[in-house]
Amino acid sequence: MQRSRNTLNPALAAAWLTAAALSGIACERRTPPTQEALPSATSAAVATAAVAPSKAYGEKITAGVRVPLAEVLNAPQSFSGKTLIVEGDVRKACSRKGCWMEVGTSAEPSAPGCRVTFKDYAFFVPTDSAGAKARLAGHVEIENITPSFVKHLEEEGAHFPNKNADGSAQSVTFVASGVELTKS
């Protein structure tokens, strides 16, 4: 049976999502192009399946200073520019394609936590990652984010307890190069 030109196989769909992510399309639902319009595949992995009992995404976690997440969140400036390994509870993940997650010192919503993004948008985590334990390698970034991006993230379930009057917020983000998720 011959496949229609508008039908994509999963590998081509993953390549399209990767190309969309690399071109700056953030969490938007768009109609994939036809097979002929797809860019060449990259080595990025798009993870949309359920989290396995223990699964790794991105680079293998091998090097970095192990620091408790609470310590990083208490003084993020002191960890800027350092490769760290932290552990925490995944409280939320992007429900559209897994391009970010929120990790906290515990699963409680009131416990300290931060947003996690993935280095160079090179990989994603499963959209059902909430409830998993995470081990992350990467670095801390502190940034001021615009009101429109705050709103976008809140629509996806993110929480900003200290928003500015104009709707912007200062955000501590952990940019992960590698992630290990474990679900019991």
Side-chain angles (χ1 to χ4, degrees):
M1 173 196 258
Q2 186 173 5
R3 215 174 230 203
S4 160
R5 287 172 45 153
N6 290 327
T7 302
L8 295 176
N9 69 34
L12 292 174
W16 179 80
L17 284 172
T18 300
L22 292 174
S23 67
I25 299 170
C27 297
E28 294 182 13
R29 292 181 187 198
R30 298 198 183 225
T31 305
T34 62
Q35 183 171 347
E36 291 78 15
L38 285 172
S40 61
T42 67
S43 62
V46 176
T48 56
V51 175
S54 182
K55 182 77 174 157
Y57 304 90
E59 299 172 8
K60 186 175 181 178
I61 298 175
T62 57
V65 177
R66 290 179 191 265
V67 181
L69 181 59
E71 190 175 326
V72 172
L73 296 174
N74 283 334
Q77 299 84 356
S78 60
F79 295 100
S80 183
K82 298 177 183 173
T83 301
L84 307 175
I85 297 174
V86 298
E87 295 180 2
D89 292 285
V90 180
R91 297 192 292 214
K92 299 176 185 171
C94 172
S95 63
R96 294 186 183 166
K97 63 181 178 182
C99 62
W100 62 269
M101 63 183 176
E102 180 183 296
V103 174
T105 56
S106 81
E108 293 298 316
S110 60
C114 67
R115 192 165 62 96
V116 177
T117 59
F118 309 109
K119 182 180 173 189
D120 298 329
Y121 238 49
F123 63 98
F124 302 132
V125 295
T127 56
D128 70 342
S129 294
K133 297 284 187 188
R135 184 170 177 249
L136 313 162
H139 66 277
V140 174
E141 288 185 357
I142 303 164
E143 62 183 331
N144 288 316
I145 55 177
T146 65
S148 62
F149 195 53
V150 168
K151 183 180 176 187
H152 166 73
L153 293 174
E154 287 177 331
E155 288 170 352
E156 280 289 310
H159 178 66
F160 294 90
N162 299 316
K163 283 196 302 190
N164 298 319
D166 68 352
S168 65
Q170 185 173 21
S171 175
V172 174
T173 303
F174 191 86
V175 180
S177 56
V179 175
E180 293 173 359
L181 296 177
T182 305
K183 260 192 176 178
S184 36

